[in-house]
Amino acid sequence: MSDGIYIVDVDLGERCYPIIIGPGVMKEPSNLLPYCSEDQVMIVTNETVAPLYLDQLKQTLQGVEVHVTLLPDGEEHKSLQTAETIFDHLLEVPCDRTTTLIALGGGVVGDIAGFVAGCYQRGIDFIQIPTTLLSQVDSSVGGKTGVNHSMGKNMIGLFHQPKCVIADTEVLSTLPARELSAGLAEVIKYGLISDSAFFSWLEAHIEGVLNLESDLVTYAIERSCRTKGEVVAADEREGGQRALLNLGHTFGHAIEAAEGYGVHLHGEAVAMGTMLAADLSFRLGWLESEEVARIANLYQRAGLPVIPPQELTAEDYLRLMAVDKKVKKGVIRLILLKKIGEAEIVSDYTTAQLKATLDSFSKT
Amino acid sequence: MSDGIYIVDVDLGERCYPIIIGPGVMKEPSNLLPYCSEDQVMIVTNETVAPLYLDQLKQTLQGVEVHVTLLPDGEEHKSLQTAETIFDHLLEVPCDRTTTLIALGGGVVGDIAGFVAGCYQRGIDFIQIPTTLLSQVDSSVGGKTGVNHSMGKNMIGLFHQPKCVIADTEVLSTLPARELSAGLAEVIKYGLISDSAFFSWLEAHIEGVLNLESDLVTYAIERSCRTKGEVVAADEREGGQRALLNLGHTFGHAIEAAEGYGVHLHGEAVAMGTMLAADLSFRLGWLESEEVARIANLYQRAGLPVIPPQELTAEDYLRLMAVDKKVKKGVIRLILLKKIGEAEIVSDYTTAQLKATLDSFSKT
């Protein structure tokens, strides 16, 4: 650490890589150039982020041959068709196996670009420069890449680890407040699943983080990435414990799918989904009601919704959750909370218990 | 080995898998069922192979829930669009992460199906049942998967190792003679790059192999798979020696691209491409002219072409070879022969030498 810069190493053996976190880290050539070995890069970004940060990034990459693929903004473009436009451009240039792909943007850009990097000529190097809080603490770390299918999110994808992740906290100043809050849903998640001290720290500092006080934001990102990095290093391909990172996601994906993607932000859906998981955890006798209230309270202070759309019925949830990747032999595995700071993968709840939770949040 | 059945293990640590070779191995449930752990499979096959072997395979899979995706036949369908039809079907069923995908067909089916298996929900298990000699000795072994792009072959793909490979020699009886010959191009390649004794064995037995004498065919496949498995195990992701397997391929791909895919079979293009590589090896003072003649002679006895299309100019080759995945910093790396049984990756030939070879095969 120097000048408030943190480096978190994700320990994946020969695919080990650093996450460089702090204000202005995107401006420092030595954070990027060592990973552009053959001096040719393809930056993948979108129409919203490019006007804000593309010139800055090009400045950092002086001396490197830079190509840019500009994507439309929005989750609805996270498709195989959009991936194809990047493949087309890579071949038009043409780029070979030694080109480095750089994802400059939020989770959608990072997921598509990572997928393309994983598939282009059977895999090329890539660098993640996440420009949202959500992608800085979650999607840019861990190597999950992919695109959506009309029948489900992230159904087409693969594991492809980046060479490094550049989490520049200065870029958060241009992030809409609602997206900052959505990112905090994942930050809070790390506290919930494995780090009760961090959860308490967030209870003490959430307003300061929302106000983008540099030291607080950098610390929150560093601690989130450290937890995620440890979980990923222990279970890269999600055979076991990595699934804990999906707290709130199975419910959340169902909410997003029911409403149509884009009504709620992913982080908002995760917050609401986590409230469903917390409710079921309470019904199983694990969480105390006071803990459920603490979770709801922290979400609300972070600007996040805690009550799922009431028009969704239990049947809606069950149908939509059945296509989730965490389904095993027809049984929906859920991530539930033993207490704040401890999560567990659960398959042995009863349908009646699950339905009771779903019904309690439904109007019909 | 029992009853003329061979098993070659590809040693990739935790991703180790067997290649089961011999007459009738597709009919034996114990060769397949251990890899269909959750009793749901998606067979991907094509319109040509399905009428011949789909019922037989279903018979072997009794007790398993079987779904089938039927693809049109032909390299021109080895595209992202065809892959999408398989994704669609997997989601319609719906199949989850525990479904096993089975590729029943030649290299095109195996490459597309392997790619889909590698990407569906970030990777599901798959089994290769190659039904051509070419795919039995080459594409089904080693985990390379992918689809073509209009601007180049296999430009979109990834490494995804199968759980097992079933090389049933009985299926070769329905293979057109021309395709059998095309497969022999790759068999001969293993002799050329690392196994001069095998090359001599092929010189002694090539007619018997062409006549599908069971012991000879099984042995030729076993020895080919053993060489390929060893090379792959030593260099799974083609950082170095695995590139030797591409002998004749860089030239061959250029021929295929220039003519339009489908004019010559892949194996035929490899044979012609290898003759170009042999010619350049001779010009570099490595191969003896007598060795070049032995190679041409064996190809011809195997029913393969040895003279590339004369209308291709040196410029055509150089332009088409420039997009090849083996290009590094603009220099085309070639696989050349030190002698029969020893190949090398070469970048330090001169353009004049390469042009001399290309011109000598060109009319213009």
Side-chain angles (χ1 to χ4, degrees), chain B residues 192-194 244 247 277-278 280-289 291-292 295 334-346 348:
Chain B
L192 286 172
I193 63 171
S194 70
L244 298 181
L247 174 67
L280 182 52
S281 305
F282 169 73
R283 282 171 204 274
L284 293 171
W286 294 351
L287 275 190
E288 305 290 332
S289 63
E291 291 177 294
V292 177
I295 298 169
L334 292 171
I335 316 305
L336 299 179
L337 292 168
K338 301 294 278 191
K339 58 182 182 185
I340 288 176
E342 189 183 339
E344 209 169 282
I345 307 167
V346 185
D348 62 353

Side-chain angles (χ1 to χ4, degrees), chain B residues 282-336:
Chain B
F282 169 73
R283 282 171 204 274
L284 293 171
W286 294 351
L287 275 190
E288 305 290 332
S289 63
E290 178 237 340
E291 291 177 294
V292 177
R294 278 178 67 195
I295 298 169
N297 184 254
L298 184 56
Y299 279 145
Q300 288 179 304
R301 287 168 60 203
L304 288 161
V306 293
I307 300 177
Q310 301 191 339
E311 60 277 16
L312 258 79
T313 64
E315 286 65 36
D316 292 332
Y317 278 106
L318 294 173
R319 178 174 46 80
L320 291 162
M321 289 160 76
V323 78
D324 192 272
K325 291 192 292 300
K326 284 163 286 297
V327 173
K328 201 154 192 166
K329 272 259 181 201
V331 177
I332 302 169
R333 292 187 304 154
L334 292 171
I335 316 305
L336 299 179

Side-chain angles (χ1 to χ4, degrees), chain A residues 104-118:
Chain A
L104 175 70
V108 170
V109 166
D111 283 4
I112 302 177
F115 173 70
V116 167

Side-chain angles (χ1 to χ4, degrees), chain B residues 172-206:
Chain B
L172 301 179
S173 65
T174 53
L175 195 67
R178 190 176 162 201
E179 290 199 38
L180 190 68
S181 292
L184 284 173
E186 300 285 350
V187 172
I188 292 167
K189 179 188 76 179
Y190 297 112
L192 286 172
I193 63 171
S194 70
D195 193 348
S196 64
F198 183 46
F199 188 87
S200 299
W201 182 91
L202 285 166
E203 289 181 309
H205 297 290
I206 194 74

Side-chain angles (χ1 to χ4, degrees), chain B residues 47-197:
Chain B
E47 291 162 344
T48 308
V49 174
L52 297 168
Y53 299 109
L54 183 57
D55 281 347
Q56 190 184 116
L57 177 58
K58 282 180 170 172
Q59 189 71 23
T60 311
L61 292 169
Q62 268 188 351
V64 173
E65 181 189 327
V66 173
H67 301 273
V68 178
T69 304
L70 207 60
L71 306 181
D73 192 6
E75 174 97 22
E76 68 272 27
H77 300 292
K78 188 174 158 181
S79 63
L80 214 46
Q81 286 67 40
T82 303
E84 265 197 279
T85 64
I86 309 175
F87 288 125
D88 292 348
H89 194 190
L90 285 164
L91 281 157
E92 275 157 22
V93 169
C95 295
D96 66 22
R97 278 183 182 163
T98 64
T99 303
T100 298
L101 199 147
I102 300 179
L104 174 70
V108 171
V109 166
D111 283 3
I112 302 177
F115 173 70
V116 167
C119 287
Y120 186 64
Q121 303 205 10
R122 297 198 195 92
I124 60 175
D125 287 351
F126 91 115
I127 296 172
Q128 290 267 24
I129 308 184
T131 58
T132 64
L133 179 60
L134 180 66
S135 55
Q136 288 183 347
V137 298
D138 183 26
S139 60
S140 71
V141 178
K144 281 193 182 178
T145 73
V147 296
N148 298 334
H149 185 280
S150 59
M151 281 183 267
K153 274 185 86 162
N154 297 316
M155 285 291 149
I156 303 168
L158 47 95
F159 288 92
H160 188 58
Q161 301 292 343
K163 289 291 157 181
C164 78
V165 180
I166 308 289
D168 192 328
T169 52
E170 281 181 3
V171 306
L172 301 179
S173 65
T174 53
L175 195 67
R178 190 176 162 201
E179 290 199 38
L180 190 68
S181 292
L184 284 173
E186 300 285 350
V187 172
I188 292 167
K189 179 188 76 179
Y190 297 112
L192 286 172
I193 63 171
S194 70
D195 193 348
S196 64

Side-chain angles (χ1 to χ4, degrees), chain A residues 251 276-277 279-280 283 352-361:
Chain A
F251 291 112
L276 288 164
D279 183 90
L280 182 52
R283 282 171 204 273
Q353 289 165 323
L354 175 57
K355 274 207 68 181
T357 284
L358 297 174
D359 285 336
S360 75
F361 282 91

Side-chain angles (χ1 to χ4, degrees), chain A residues 175-185 210 259 262-269 302-305:
Chain A
L175 194 67
R178 190 176 161 201
E179 290 199 39
L180 190 69
S181 293
L184 284 173
L210 275 171
E259 298 186 311
V263 175
H264 277 100
L265 297 176
H266 176 65
E268 292 170 341
L304 288 161

